[in-house]
């Protein structure tokens, strides 16, 4: 069971995000952040084998940042935002999902 832990966490995270994306109205988007890193805006989620989850996105001072975190329950904050009030480059309508990148070459 431990061998599938990262996969299970990854699937739980993408399930709730996809449910929230389906519920979005026309002028809405999601802002997804990690509670431990509130200024880090997630644009992509994946896993590396069964030991790590990774979160790619933006800190205010970077073009792109990737956090590689051990597979453990990770508190995530999902905000529904009005795209008309937000800067278009700061809010993603959809979050990208990579699956397991340890198989990629």
């Amino acid at each position: 069971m431990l061998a599938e832990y990262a996969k299970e966490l990854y699937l739980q995270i993408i399930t709730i995000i996809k449910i929230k994306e389906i519920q979005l109205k026309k002028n809405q988007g999601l802002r997804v952040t990690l509670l431990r890193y509130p200024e880090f805006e997630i644009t992509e989620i994946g896993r590396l084998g069964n030991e790590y989850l990774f979160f790619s996105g933006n800190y205010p001072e970077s073009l792109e940042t990737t956090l590689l975190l051990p597979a453990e329950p990770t508190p995530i904050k999902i905000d529904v935002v009005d795209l008309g009030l937000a800067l278009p480059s700061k809010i993603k309508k959809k979050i990208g999902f990579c699956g397991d990148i340890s198989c990629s070459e």
Side-chain angles (χ1 to χ4, degrees):
M1 189 71 168
L2 187 58
E4 297 289 316
Y5 194 58
K7 182 178 180 181
E8 287 301 315
L9 289 172
Y10 170 77
L11 292 174
Q12 290 172 3
I13 292 168
I14 66 170
T15 298
I16 189 64
I17 290 174
K18 286 184 177 189
I19 289 169
K20 291 295 185 183
E21 286 176 342
I22 290 169
Q23 296 172 344
L24 291 174
K25 294 181 175 71
K26 185 178 179 182
N27 264 354
Q28 294 179 334
L30 294 181
R31 182 175 186 271
V32 181
T33 57
L34 298 170
L35 286 183
R36 285 188 271 174
Y37 308 96
E39 299 208 357
F40 179 68
E41 214 168 308
I42 298 169
T43 57
E44 187 174 53
I45 300 170
R47 64 186 179 92
L48 181 59
N50 286 308
E51 296 180 25
Y52 294 96
L53 296 174
F54 74 84
F55 302 89
S56 293
N58 305 99
Y59 267 111
E61 69 274 3
S62 71
L63 294 175
E64 182 179 343
T65 301
T66 300
L67 300 176
L68 184 61
L69 303 174
E72 61 185 22
T74 304
I76 293 176
K77 180 180 176 194
I78 303 170
D79 292 311
V80 175
V81 296
D82 184 339
L83 292 177
L85 300 176
L87 296 173
S89 63
K90 295 298 284 177
I91 304 298
K92 297 273 297 186
K93 183 110 174 147
K94 301 253 182 197
I95 304 298
F97 302 106
C98 285
D100 185 358
I101 63 165
S102 66
C103 302
S104 302
E105 299 211 6

